[in-house]
Amino acid sequence: MSETAQATAAGCGAPAGGAPAKDAGNQAIVQGKVTKDGAPVQVGYARLLNSGGDFVAEVPLGEDGGFRFFAAPGDWTLRVLAPGGVKTDRGVSAAIGEIRELEVAV
Amino acid sequence: MTRSDVLVDADWVDAHRDDPGVVLVEVDEDTSAYDKGHIRGAVKLDWKQDLQDPVRRDFIDRAGFEALLSERGISNDDTVILYGGNNNWFAAYAYWYFKLYGHDRVKLLDGGRKKWELDSRELVTEVPNRPGTSYRAQEQDTSIRAFRDEVVSAIGNKNLIDVRSPDEFAGRLLAPAHLPQEQAQRGGHVPTARNVPWSKAAEDDGTFKSDDALRQLYGDAGVDFGIDTIAYCRIGERSAHTWFVMHELLGQPNVKNYDGSWTEYGSLVGVPIKLGDES
Protein backbone atom coordinates (compact mmCIF):
# COMPACT_ATOMS: atom_id res chain seq x y z
CA MET A 1 0.00 0.00 0.00
CA SER A 2 1.43 3.40 -0.87
CA GLU A 3 1.78 5.89 1.96
CA THR A 4 -0.48 8.35 0.19
CA ALA A 5 -3.28 5.86 -0.13
CA GLN A 6 -2.94 4.58 3.42
CA ALA A 7 -4.18 7.74 5.07
CA THR A 8 -7.67 7.49 3.63
CA ALA A 9 -8.24 3.83 2.86
CA ALA A 10 -9.72 3.07 6.29
CA GLY A 11 -12.90 5.05 5.82
CA CYS A 12 -15.06 6.84 3.30
CA GLY A 13 -13.99 10.30 4.42
CA ALA A 14 -12.53 11.87 1.33
CA PRO A 15 -11.77 15.59 1.64
CA ALA A 16 -13.03 18.16 -0.84
CA GLY A 17 -11.14 17.72 -4.07
CA GLY A 18 -10.59 14.00 -3.44
CA ALA A 19 -8.07 11.99 -1.45
CA PRO A 20 -4.39 12.94 -1.91
CA ALA A 21 -2.06 11.00 -4.21
CA LYS A 22 1.59 11.78 -5.01
CA ASP A 23 1.85 9.32 -7.86
CA ALA A 24 -0.40 6.77 -9.48
CA GLY A 25 1.31 3.65 -8.08
CA ASN A 26 -1.08 0.82 -9.00
CA GLN A 27 -4.10 3.15 -9.12
CA ALA A 28 -5.97 4.39 -12.18
CA ILE A 29 -6.30 8.06 -11.35
CA VAL A 30 -8.52 10.65 -13.01
CA GLN A 31 -7.93 14.15 -11.71
CA GLY A 32 -8.01 17.76 -12.78
CA LYS A 33 -9.26 21.25 -12.19
CA VAL A 34 -12.40 23.19 -12.96
CA THR A 35 -11.98 26.82 -13.97
CA LYS A 36 -14.16 29.70 -15.05
CA ASP A 37 -12.49 32.58 -16.91
CA GLY A 38 -9.15 31.16 -15.80
CA ALA A 39 -10.00 31.19 -12.05
CA PRO A 40 -10.66 28.02 -10.02
CA VAL A 41 -14.32 27.11 -9.41
CA GLN A 42 -14.48 26.50 -5.65
CA VAL A 43 -18.17 25.75 -5.28
CA GLY A 44 -19.16 22.82 -7.43
CA TYR A 45 -19.11 19.05 -7.74
CA ALA A 46 -17.29 16.55 -9.92
CA ARG A 47 -19.09 13.28 -10.62
CA LEU A 48 -17.71 10.17 -12.27
CA LEU A 49 -20.17 8.27 -14.49
CA ASN A 50 -19.49 4.81 -15.92
CA SER A 51 -19.79 3.81 -19.56
CA GLY A 52 -23.50 3.16 -19.01
CA GLY A 53 -23.99 6.75 -17.83
CA ASP A 54 -24.51 5.70 -14.21
CA PHE A 55 -23.12 7.65 -11.27
CA VAL A 56 -20.14 6.01 -9.57
CA ALA A 57 -18.59 8.67 -7.33
CA GLU A 58 -18.71 12.36 -6.51
CA VAL A 59 -16.49 14.89 -4.75
CA PRO A 60 -16.98 18.56 -3.96
CA LEU A 61 -14.37 20.67 -5.76
CA GLY A 62 -11.35 21.72 -3.70
CA GLU A 63 -10.34 25.31 -3.07
CA ASP A 64 -8.16 25.10 -6.19
CA GLY A 65 -11.12 23.77 -8.21
CA GLY A 66 -9.51 20.33 -8.10
CA PHE A 67 -10.93 16.81 -8.05
CA ARG A 68 -9.45 13.30 -7.99
CA PHE A 69 -10.87 9.82 -8.55
CA PHE A 70 -9.38 6.35 -8.17
CA ALA A 71 -11.16 4.57 -10.99
CA ALA A 72 -11.05 1.16 -12.60
CA PRO A 73 -9.33 0.98 -16.00
CA GLY A 74 -11.69 1.93 -18.82
CA ASP A 75 -13.80 4.74 -20.24
CA TRP A 76 -15.57 7.20 -17.95
CA THR A 77 -17.51 10.43 -18.15
CA LEU A 78 -16.60 13.26 -15.83
CA ARG A 79 -19.56 15.54 -15.06
CA VAL A 80 -19.09 18.94 -13.44
CA LEU A 81 -22.01 20.61 -11.63
CA ALA A 82 -21.76 24.22 -10.44
CA PRO A 83 -24.16 27.00 -9.39
CA GLY A 84 -26.06 28.69 -12.19
CA GLY A 85 -27.17 25.42 -13.73
CA VAL A 86 -23.67 24.55 -14.99
CA LYS A 87 -23.45 20.94 -16.17
CA THR A 88 -20.45 19.96 -18.31
CA ASP A 89 -19.43 16.44 -19.39
CA ARG A 90 -15.97 15.26 -20.49
CA GLY A 91 -14.95 11.78 -21.65
CA VAL A 92 -11.84 10.27 -20.08
CA SER A 93 -10.05 6.94 -20.26
CA ALA A 94 -8.33 5.58 -17.11
CA ALA A 95 -5.43 3.12 -16.92
CA ILE A 96 -3.60 1.44 -14.02
CA GLY A 97 -0.40 3.26 -13.08
CA GLU A 98 -1.41 6.43 -14.88
CA ILE A 99 -2.78 9.81 -13.89
CA ARG A 100 -5.23 11.24 -16.42
CA GLU A 101 -5.37 15.01 -16.06
CA LEU A 102 -8.37 17.05 -17.14
CA GLU A 103 -8.84 20.80 -17.23
CA VAL A 104 -12.52 21.68 -17.44
CA ALA A 105 -13.53 25.25 -18.25
CA VAL A 106 -17.17 26.05 -17.49
CA MET B 1 -46.07 7.82 5.91
CA THR B 2 -45.70 10.63 3.40
CA ARG B 3 -42.61 12.43 2.15
CA SER B 4 -43.35 15.46 4.33
CA ASP B 5 -42.94 13.21 7.40
CA VAL B 6 -39.33 12.47 6.50
CA LEU B 7 -38.16 15.21 4.10
CA VAL B 8 -38.10 19.01 4.08
CA ASP B 9 -37.01 21.36 1.30
CA ALA B 10 -34.84 24.47 1.40
CA ASP B 11 -37.80 26.85 1.65
CA TRP B 12 -39.01 24.98 4.73
CA VAL B 13 -35.57 25.37 6.29
CA ASP B 14 -35.57 29.12 5.54
CA ALA B 15 -39.01 29.46 7.15
CA HIS B 16 -38.46 27.28 10.21
CA ARG B 17 -34.77 27.17 11.13
CA ASP B 18 -35.23 29.66 13.97
CA ASP B 19 -38.30 27.89 15.37
CA PRO B 20 -37.86 26.59 18.89
CA GLY B 21 -37.55 22.82 18.75
CA VAL B 22 -35.93 22.74 15.31
CA VAL B 23 -32.22 21.85 15.09
CA LEU B 24 -30.25 21.75 11.84
CA VAL B 25 -27.39 19.24 11.83
CA GLU B 26 -24.76 18.90 9.10
CA VAL B 27 -23.10 15.50 8.62
CA ASP B 28 -20.61 15.27 5.78
CA GLU B 29 -18.31 12.79 4.18
CA ASP B 30 -15.79 15.63 4.01
CA THR B 31 -15.75 16.43 7.72
CA SER B 32 -14.13 19.82 7.10
CA ALA B 33 -16.99 21.04 4.88
CA TYR B 34 -18.95 22.42 7.84
CA ASP B 35 -16.02 24.53 8.95
CA LYS B 36 -15.78 26.22 5.55
CA GLY B 37 -19.46 27.15 5.59
CA HIS B 38 -22.79 25.74 6.69
CA ILE B 39 -26.46 26.64 6.85
CA ARG B 40 -26.97 29.33 9.46
CA GLY B 41 -27.80 27.82 12.83
CA ALA B 42 -26.61 24.30 11.96
CA VAL B 43 -24.46 22.26 14.34
CA LYS B 44 -21.97 19.64 13.15
CA LEU B 45 -21.73 15.93 13.68
CA ASP B 46 -18.56 14.15 12.56
CA TRP B 47 -19.55 10.68 11.28
CA LYS B 48 -16.23 9.23 12.37
CA GLN B 49 -15.08 11.10 15.49
CA ASP B 50 -18.55 11.52 16.98
CA LEU B 51 -20.47 8.44 15.85
CA GLN B 52 -17.86 5.64 15.78
CA ASP B 53 -16.34 3.97 18.83
CA PRO B 54 -12.66 4.99 18.85
CA VAL B 55 -11.42 1.49 19.75
CA ARG B 56 -13.87 -1.27 18.79
CA ARG B 57 -15.43 -1.40 15.35
CA ASP B 58 -18.92 -0.35 16.41
CA PHE B 59 -21.06 2.67 17.10
CA ILE B 60 -20.77 4.72 20.24
CA ASP B 61 -22.98 3.16 22.92
CA ARG B 62 -26.24 4.50 24.27
CA ALA B 63 -24.54 6.55 27.01
CA GLY B 64 -22.12 7.94 24.45
CA PHE B 65 -24.97 9.00 22.16
CA GLU B 66 -26.73 10.64 25.10
CA ALA B 67 -23.58 12.56 26.01
CA LEU B 68 -23.00 13.60 22.40
CA LEU B 69 -26.49 14.99 21.81
CA SER B 70 -26.58 16.63 25.23
CA GLU B 71 -23.30 18.39 24.47
CA ARG B 72 -24.55 19.56 21.04
CA GLY B 73 -27.67 21.00 22.63
CA ILE B 74 -30.18 18.58 21.11
CA SER B 75 -33.25 17.62 23.17
CA ASN B 76 -35.45 14.55 22.97
CA ASP B 77 -38.35 16.73 21.77
CA ASP B 78 -36.38 18.55 19.07
CA THR B 79 -37.07 18.00 15.39
CA VAL B 80 -33.64 17.28 13.91
CA ILE B 81 -33.13 18.31 10.26
CA LEU B 82 -30.12 16.50 8.84
CA TYR B 83 -28.26 17.49 5.68
CA GLY B 84 -24.89 16.79 4.12
CA GLY B 85 -22.94 16.49 0.90
CA ASN B 86 -22.82 13.76 -1.72
CA ASN B 87 -26.60 13.33 -2.09
CA ASN B 88 -27.09 13.23 1.69
CA TRP B 89 -25.04 10.04 1.85
CA PHE B 90 -23.77 10.64 5.40
CA ALA B 91 -26.85 12.57 6.47
CA ALA B 92 -28.98 9.52 5.62
CA TYR B 93 -26.56 7.44 7.67
CA ALA B 94 -27.02 9.83 10.62
CA TYR B 95 -30.81 9.66 10.11
CA TRP B 96 -30.69 5.87 10.41
CA TYR B 97 -28.39 6.24 13.43
CA PHE B 98 -30.82 8.64 15.18
CA LYS B 99 -33.63 6.15 14.52
CA LEU B 100 -31.45 3.34 15.86
CA TYR B 101 -31.29 5.15 19.20
CA GLY B 102 -35.00 5.95 19.14
CA HIS B 103 -35.08 9.61 18.05
CA ASP B 104 -38.30 9.77 16.01
CA ARG B 105 -38.43 13.46 15.13
CA VAL B 106 -35.78 13.47 12.43
CA LYS B 107 -35.96 14.52 8.77
CA LEU B 108 -33.62 15.03 5.83
CA LEU B 109 -33.19 18.22 3.83
CA ASP B 110 -33.94 16.91 0.31
CA GLY B 111 -30.91 17.47 -1.92
CA GLY B 112 -28.72 18.21 1.08
CA ARG B 113 -25.74 20.51 0.99
CA LYS B 114 -25.19 20.04 -2.74
CA LYS B 115 -28.55 21.40 -3.86
CA TRP B 116 -28.26 24.19 -1.29
CA GLU B 117 -24.87 25.17 -2.75
CA LEU B 118 -25.90 24.75 -6.38
CA ASP B 119 -28.89 27.02 -5.69
CA SER B 120 -26.41 29.61 -4.31
CA ARG B 121 -28.12 29.77 -0.91
CA GLU B 122 -26.40 31.34 2.08
CA LEU B 123 -23.63 29.52 3.98
CA VAL B 124 -22.03 31.00 7.10
CA THR B 125 -19.02 30.11 9.26
CA GLU B 126 -20.51 31.30 12.57
CA VAL B 127 -21.00 28.35 14.93
CA PRO B 128 -24.22 28.50 16.98
CA ASN B 129 -24.05 28.36 20.73
CA ARG B 130 -26.69 25.90 21.91
CA PRO B 131 -27.10 25.31 25.64
CA GLY B 132 -26.50 21.75 26.79
CA THR B 133 -29.37 19.32 27.36
CA SER B 134 -30.00 16.06 29.20
CA TYR B 135 -30.69 13.82 26.24
CA ARG B 136 -32.00 10.30 26.91
CA ALA B 137 -31.60 7.65 24.20
CA GLN B 138 -33.41 4.31 23.80
CA GLU B 139 -31.79 0.91 23.51
CA GLN B 140 -30.70 0.24 19.92
CA ASP B 141 -33.60 -0.72 17.65
CA THR B 142 -32.05 -3.80 16.07
CA SER B 143 -35.11 -4.23 13.84
CA ILE B 144 -33.28 -1.83 11.48
CA ARG B 145 -29.70 -3.09 11.99
CA ALA B 146 -28.48 -6.37 10.49
CA PHE B 147 -25.49 -8.38 11.71
CA ARG B 148 -23.32 -10.78 9.74
CA ASP B 149 -25.05 -14.05 10.62
CA GLU B 150 -28.38 -12.64 9.45
CA VAL B 151 -26.79 -11.77 6.13
CA VAL B 152 -25.43 -15.26 5.62
CA SER B 153 -28.81 -16.80 6.49
CA ALA B 154 -30.60 -14.31 4.21
CA ILE B 155 -28.90 -15.75 1.10
CA GLY B 156 -31.71 -17.03 -1.08
CA ASN B 157 -34.40 -16.07 1.50
CA LYS B 158 -34.52 -12.30 1.71
CA ASN B 159 -33.79 -9.39 -0.58
CA LEU B 160 -30.12 -8.58 -0.33
CA ILE B 161 -29.43 -5.24 -1.97
CA ASP B 162 -25.80 -4.42 -2.67
CA VAL B 163 -25.84 -0.67 -3.18
CA ARG B 164 -22.21 -0.25 -4.23
CA SER B 165 -21.18 0.67 -7.76
CA PRO B 166 -21.24 -2.11 -10.39
CA ASP B 167 -17.43 -2.35 -10.38
CA GLU B 168 -17.38 -2.91 -6.61
CA PHE B 169 -20.24 -5.42 -6.88
CA ALA B 170 -18.36 -7.42 -9.51
CA GLY B 171 -15.10 -7.32 -7.55
CA ARG B 172 -13.22 -5.06 -9.97
CA LEU B 173 -12.98 -2.27 -7.37
CA LEU B 174 -12.80 -2.56 -3.58
CA ALA B 175 -13.84 0.99 -2.68
CA PRO B 176 -15.80 3.87 -4.21
CA ALA B 177 -13.91 5.49 -7.07
CA HIS B 178 -12.99 8.64 -5.18
CA LEU B 179 -10.93 6.62 -2.68
CA PRO B 180 -7.70 4.62 -3.05
CA GLN B 181 -8.28 0.98 -3.89
CA GLU B 182 -6.04 -1.04 -1.56
CA GLN B 183 -8.07 -3.06 0.97
CA ALA B 184 -7.51 -6.23 2.98
CA GLN B 185 -10.69 -8.09 2.11
CA ARG B 186 -11.73 -10.12 -0.93
CA GLY B 187 -13.73 -8.54 -3.74
CA GLY B 188 -17.18 -9.57 -4.92
CA HIS B 189 -20.69 -9.69 -3.42
CA VAL B 190 -23.01 -11.80 -1.29
CA PRO B 191 -24.56 -14.49 -3.53
CA THR B 192 -28.15 -13.63 -4.62
CA ALA B 193 -27.64 -9.91 -3.86
CA ARG B 194 -29.15 -7.51 -6.36
CA ASN B 195 -26.94 -4.60 -7.38
CA VAL B 196 -28.84 -1.32 -7.15
CA PRO B 197 -26.27 1.45 -6.69
CA TRP B 198 -27.48 3.80 -3.96
CA SER B 199 -26.96 6.86 -6.10
CA LYS B 200 -29.59 5.70 -8.60
CA ALA B 201 -32.19 6.76 -6.05
CA ALA B 202 -31.11 10.39 -6.37
CA GLU B 203 -31.24 12.97 -9.13
CA ASP B 204 -28.11 14.86 -10.20
CA ASP B 205 -28.92 17.61 -7.68
CA GLY B 206 -29.13 15.09 -4.83
CA THR B 207 -32.93 15.13 -4.36
CA PHE B 208 -34.72 11.80 -4.16
CA LYS B 209 -36.48 10.44 -7.23
CA SER B 210 -40.27 10.03 -7.18
CA ASP B 211 -41.83 7.03 -5.42
CA ASP B 212 -42.91 5.60 -8.78
CA ALA B 213 -39.39 5.90 -10.21
CA LEU B 214 -37.94 4.34 -7.06
CA ARG B 215 -40.36 1.39 -7.12
CA GLN B 216 -39.52 0.79 -10.75
CA LEU B 217 -35.78 1.00 -10.03
CA TYR B 218 -35.86 -1.71 -7.35
CA GLY B 219 -38.54 -3.77 -9.08
CA ASP B 220 -36.59 -3.87 -12.34
CA ALA B 221 -33.53 -5.05 -10.41
CA GLY B 222 -35.47 -8.04 -9.08
CA VAL B 223 -36.25 -6.82 -5.55
CA ASP B 224 -39.36 -8.56 -4.17
CA PHE B 225 -41.45 -6.02 -2.25
CA GLY B 226 -43.24 -8.87 -0.46
CA ILE B 227 -40.27 -10.10 1.58
CA ASP B 228 -37.78 -8.68 4.08
CA THR B 229 -34.74 -6.74 2.92
CA ILE B 230 -31.14 -6.22 4.01
CA ALA B 231 -29.08 -3.48 2.35
CA TYR B 232 -25.30 -3.31 2.49
CA CYS B 233 -22.40 -1.46 0.89
CA ARG B 234 -18.77 -1.20 2.00
CA ILE B 235 -19.02 0.31 5.49
CA GLY B 236 -22.78 0.81 5.89
CA GLU B 237 -23.24 4.45 4.96
CA ARG B 238 -24.36 4.28 1.35
CA SER B 239 -26.72 1.46 2.36
CA ALA B 240 -28.23 3.73 5.03
CA HIS B 241 -29.29 5.94 2.10
CA THR B 242 -30.99 2.94 0.48
CA TRP B 243 -32.51 1.96 3.86
CA PHE B 244 -34.02 5.46 3.97
CA VAL B 245 -35.47 5.01 0.47
CA MET B 246 -36.92 1.55 1.10
CA HIS B 247 -38.14 2.04 4.67
CA GLU B 248 -38.95 5.74 4.97
CA LEU B 249 -39.95 6.77 1.43
CA LEU B 250 -41.45 3.54 0.08
CA GLY B 251 -42.75 2.39 3.47
CA GLN B 252 -41.38 -1.14 3.21
CA PRO B 253 -41.56 -2.97 6.55
CA ASN B 254 -38.60 -5.03 7.78
CA VAL B 255 -35.70 -3.33 6.07
CA LYS B 256 -32.32 -3.55 7.78
CA ASN B 257 -29.00 -1.86 7.16
CA TYR B 258 -25.99 -4.18 7.47
CA ASP B 259 -23.40 -1.68 8.67
CA GLY B 260 -20.63 -4.28 8.84
CA SER B 261 -21.10 -4.43 5.08
CA TRP B 262 -18.44 -5.57 2.64
CA THR B 263 -15.43 -4.68 4.80
CA GLU B 264 -16.74 -7.24 7.30
CA TYR B 265 -18.36 -9.79 4.98
CA GLY B 266 -15.44 -9.78 2.54
CA SER B 267 -13.06 -10.55 5.41
CA LEU B 268 -15.06 -13.45 6.95
CA VAL B 269 -13.54 -16.90 6.70
CA GLY B 270 -15.58 -19.47 4.83
CA VAL B 271 -18.60 -17.45 3.67
CA PRO B 272 -19.75 -17.71 0.05
CA ILE B 273 -18.75 -14.92 -2.33
CA LYS B 274 -19.87 -14.35 -5.90
CA LEU B 275 -17.66 -12.60 -8.43
CA GLY B 276 -18.80 -10.84 -11.59
CA ASP B 277 -21.84 -8.86 -12.66
CA GLU B 278 -24.46 -11.58 -12.09
CA SER B 279 -26.35 -11.92 -8.78
Side-chain angles (χ1 to χ4, degrees), chain A residues 3-86:
Chain A
E3 60 170 298
T4 48
Q6 200 162 20
T8 51
C12 268
K22 284 183 200 152
D23 54 57
N26 60 353
Q27 311 275 332
I29 293 180
V30 173
Q31 65 181 34
K33 279 185 183 163
V34 182
T35 59
K36 184 176 185 184
D37 303 327
V41 175
Q42 295 176 326
V43 176
Y45 291 82
R47 327 189 88 199
L48 196 64
L49 311 179
N50 67 15
S51 55
D54 286 327
F55 168 101
V56 172
E58 177 178 288
V59 291
L61 300 178
E63 287 182 12
D64 60 351
F67 58 85
R68 179 174 297 111
F69 295 105
F70 301 81
D75 294 327
W76 303 88
T77 297
L78 179 90
R79 174 168 294 170
V80 172
L81 301 175
V86 171

Side-chain angles (χ1 to χ4, degrees), chain A residues 1-2 4-6 8-16 18-20 26-27 43-45 47-50 54-60 63 68-72 76 79 81-85 87, chain B residues 29-32 36 47-48 85-87 89-90 113-115 117-120 165-168 172-173 175-183 197-200 202-206 234-235 237-238:
Chain A
M1 180 183 283
S2 71
T4 48
Q6 200 162 20
T8 51
C12 268
N26 60 353
Q27 311 275 332
V43 176
Y45 291 82
R47 327 189 88 199
L48 196 64
L49 311 179
N50 67 15
D54 286 327
F55 168 101
V56 172
E58 177 178 288
V59 291
E63 287 182 12
R68 179 174 297 111
F69 295 105
F70 301 81
W76 303 88
R79 174 168 294 170
L81 301 175
K87 181 167 149 182
Chain B
E29 177 190 25
D30 171 11
T31 54
S32 69
K36 292 177 209 150
W47 69 271
K48 197 165 196 177
N86 211 336
N87 311 304
W89 169 355
F90 281 67
R113 182 184 173 103
K114 179 166 66 171
K115 182 167 170 52
E117 281 192 307
L118 292 176
D119 289 346
S120 300
S165 62
D167 282 324
E168 292 172 86
R172 293 185 288 270
L173 285 182
H178 62 304
L179 294 172
Q181 293 299 319
E182 289 105 330
Q183 305 288 334
W198 70 287
S199 52
K200 286 195 170 193
E203 307 283 3
D204 258 1
D205 67 2
R234 189 176 70 111
I235 56 172
E237 278 133 2
R238 286 176 285 180

